[in-house]
Amino acid sequence: MENVVIFDSPGKGRGLKATKEFWAGDVIFSEPSLSAVVFDSLAERICHSCFRRQEKLQRCGQCKFAHYCDRTCQRAAWAEHKQECSAIKAYGKVPNENIRLVARIMWRLDKEGSLMSDMQLITLDELEDHLNDMQEDDLKELKVDIHNFLDYWPRNSKQHTIDDISHIFGVINCNGFSVSDQRGLQAVGVGLFPNLCLVNHDCWPNCTVILNHGRIELRSLGKIAEGEELTVAYVDYLNLSEVRQRLLKTQYFFACTCEHCTNKTHDDIKMGGREVEGIKPSDEQVKEATDYCFGMMEKMDKARLNGDYHEVVKICRQCIEKTEPILADTHIYLLRMWSTMSEVQAYLQYFEESADYARKMVEGYMKLYQPNHAALGMGAMRAGVTHWQAGLIEVGHGMICKAYAILMVTHGPTHPITKDVEAMRMQTEMELRMFKQNEYVYQSMREAALKNKPMTMLHEPKSVEEGIKNLFHRRK
């Protein structure tokens, strides 16, 4: 951790600042989790050791709860799972993910003490738990969790005070970090990374966090001067300033005073109207279209939750046809409609329409997000793939090259998703050369490629950019 130092950040409390100069894509520090668990809802589909998603997993023969890829993963996890396994058997049921994570952390604390490695900058005792700031409903849930934890915690393990247990629950509540699957596309669990807890928030940060091969990496998004504070975004910038501030206040217990919140940067175009030849719609027209879009999003979410994707398309198309002539191409509700339409149409294999909406989404993102933002990189990747699937090789290759350039900064060259995009870039570059030389030969080769589906991304639609926009875990 020689690249960073703890300091008192004005108005924020403790923070981290750089002890040397960094450039875009530099790894400032890397950190393994103190402990991590799979979400309750995915316990049977995700390996509890490596967090990979697998079709068939082997179940622990004793507790019948933990699932693993194979014996190798099971042996790797046994040191941490051993006490959990006995506790689950004795308890007779599986506690929720927060209780499981607190128990794992406390077992490790009992075994290794509060400072578990030379790289650890702060102990768990020193981290804020914000228990005094919690709302009444959250405190009620906390009390239920503590009661269930006490029933779950083995009598032969070291006993702890209610205050100590409450502190760990509070730390997880405001510092837990979402753990993604091996490709970084979906949040599948939650873990605690003590050093990461020291990095403060900014709505326009100079760093990003990514999980890579089981460790989080704090990566620089651009040039960072020696002595400059390191920041990451706790919430998605696509939200309005007012919404971001409310989320930060209720979830992380502080008021954001960053430049983008203070100046309400981009708020006007996030809710603005479409200007055509110098003529803008009236405020009343924009408000009416915005309200209509909001109501249709609720219907869309319900249809999507039910897996009725043809109904999703119908709702999106109806909304887009009515509001697209009025709302700006940076309007966040319209962007969400385009994003959903692109994703669902790709799943239904209507690639040309999917590509069109994906391109519009990326163009909107480019006007709102930082140049090196993971959501922009992932959006460009999706747009590149859908253009390739639609046979639009020139645009597809351009989008994939853009995605690759961004992901090299945000994810780095060794991340699985970056490697995927690099393979796509090489393939589309070869296809583009062939297309320019002989379009007929290219079309013949494309037919063969489509049969093998080397670049298919037709997974069932999930929450849009879930693993990108909600890095910091919050209990729902």
Side-chain angles (χ1 to χ4, degrees), residues 58-78:
Q58 297 179 10
R59 188 174 65 174
C60 174
Q62 297 186 46
C63 68
K64 313 294 184 186
F65 167 68
H67 287 71
Y68 302 102
C69 297
D70 48 33
R71 291 285 184 188
T72 302
C73 278
Q74 189 169 9
R75 281 194 294 269
W78 181 242

Side-chain angles (χ1 to χ4, degrees), residues 198-243:
L198 292 166
V199 183
N200 285 319
H201 163 84
D202 194 289
C203 292
W204 200 261
N206 55 18
C207 297
T208 189
V209 183
I210 198 69
L211 192 80
N212 190 5
H213 296 96
R215 299 172 67 94
I216 62 99
E217 294 176 346
L218 186 72
R219 306 182 67 88
S220 173
L221 291 175
K223 183 180 177 181
I224 298 176
E226 181 181 345
E228 186 177 344
E229 180 172 9
L230 305 172
T231 57
V232 294
Y234 292 3
V235 295
D236 182 25
Y237 182 68
L238 233 56
N239 292 309
L240 295 173
S241 302
E242 180 184 355
V243 176

Side-chain angles (χ1 to χ4, degrees), residues 68-297:
Y68 302 102
C69 297
D70 48 33
R71 291 285 184 188
T72 302
C73 278
Q74 189 169 9
R75 281 194 294 269
W78 181 242
E80 194 170 14
H81 177 59
K82 183 178 180 180
Q83 288 168 297
E84 176 186 68
C85 186
S86 298
I88 289 173
K89 284 193 296 179
Y91 189 45
K93 57 184 176 180
V94 179
N96 68 41
E97 62 211 33
N98 277 18
I99 294 173
R100 288 188 285 116
L101 182 56
V102 169
R104 283 187 166 219
I105 289 170
M106 298 196 79
W107 277 317
R108 188 164 179 195
L109 285 170
D110 291 344
K111 181 180 179 182
E112 301 179 37
S114 58
L115 208 59
M116 300 176 192
S117 82
D118 295 338
M119 305 293 286
Q120 193 175 324
L121 295 172
I122 191 168
T123 66
L124 264 60
D125 290 340
E126 296 173 290
L127 290 174
E128 293 284 349
D129 57 31
H130 291 286
L131 294 175
N132 294 330
D133 300 314
M134 292 176 71
Q135 299 294 315
E136 188 176 342
D137 288 346
D138 292 332
L139 283 172
K140 286 180 180 177
E141 285 189 21
L142 174 66
K143 289 177 181 177
V144 171
D145 274 348
I146 291 172
H147 174 79
N148 291 333
F149 175 89
L150 292 171
D151 286 344
Y152 170 66
W153 188 252
R155 298 292 175 264
N156 60 350
S157 291
K158 180 181 176 181
Q159 298 304 300
H160 297 271
T161 66
I162 297 294
D163 286 346
D164 287 344
I165 297 166
S166 300
H167 175 71
I168 301 298
F169 271 105
V171 167
I172 288 171
N173 185 57
C174 55
N175 289 293
F177 184 83
S178 291
V179 176
S180 59
D181 61 10
Q182 71 271 26
R183 296 187 69 230
L185 295 177
Q186 184 187 7
V188 298
V190 58
L192 189 64
F193 300 81
N195 294 336
L196 180 62
C197 298
L198 292 166
V199 183
N200 285 319
H201 163 84
D202 194 289
C203 292
W204 200 261
N206 55 18
C207 297
T208 189
V209 183
I210 198 69
L211 192 80
N212 190 5
H213 296 96
R215 299 172 67 94
I216 62 99
E217 294 176 346
L218 186 72
R219 306 182 67 88
S220 173
L221 291 175
K223 183 180 177 181
I224 298 176
E226 181 181 345
E228 186 177 344
E229 180 172 9
L230 305 172
T231 57
V232 294
Y234 292 3
V235 295
D236 182 25
Y237 182 68
L238 233 56
N239 292 309
L240 295 173
S241 302
E242 180 184 355
V243 176
R244 295 199 306 273
Q245 288 180 315
R246 186 171 67 247
L247 289 171
L248 291 166
K249 189 67 175 176
T250 56
Q251 296 181 0
Y252 302 100
F253 312 106
F254 69 88
C256 183
T257 57
C258 77
E259 181 182 342
H260 281 67
C261 279
T262 303
N263 298 332
K264 300 186 183 300
T265 309
H266 291 147
D267 278 8
D268 55 343
I269 62 174
K270 288 178 184 177
M271 282 283 163
R274 183 180 297 273
E275 183 176 339
V276 181
E277 296 180 354
I279 300 173
K280 286 185 177 181
S282 68
D283 291 345
E284 186 178 338
Q285 286 176 306
V286 173
K287 184 181 185 306
E288 184 182 341
T290 298
D291 291 344
Y292 177 79
C293 214
F294 182 79
M296 295 299 276
M297 284 196 305

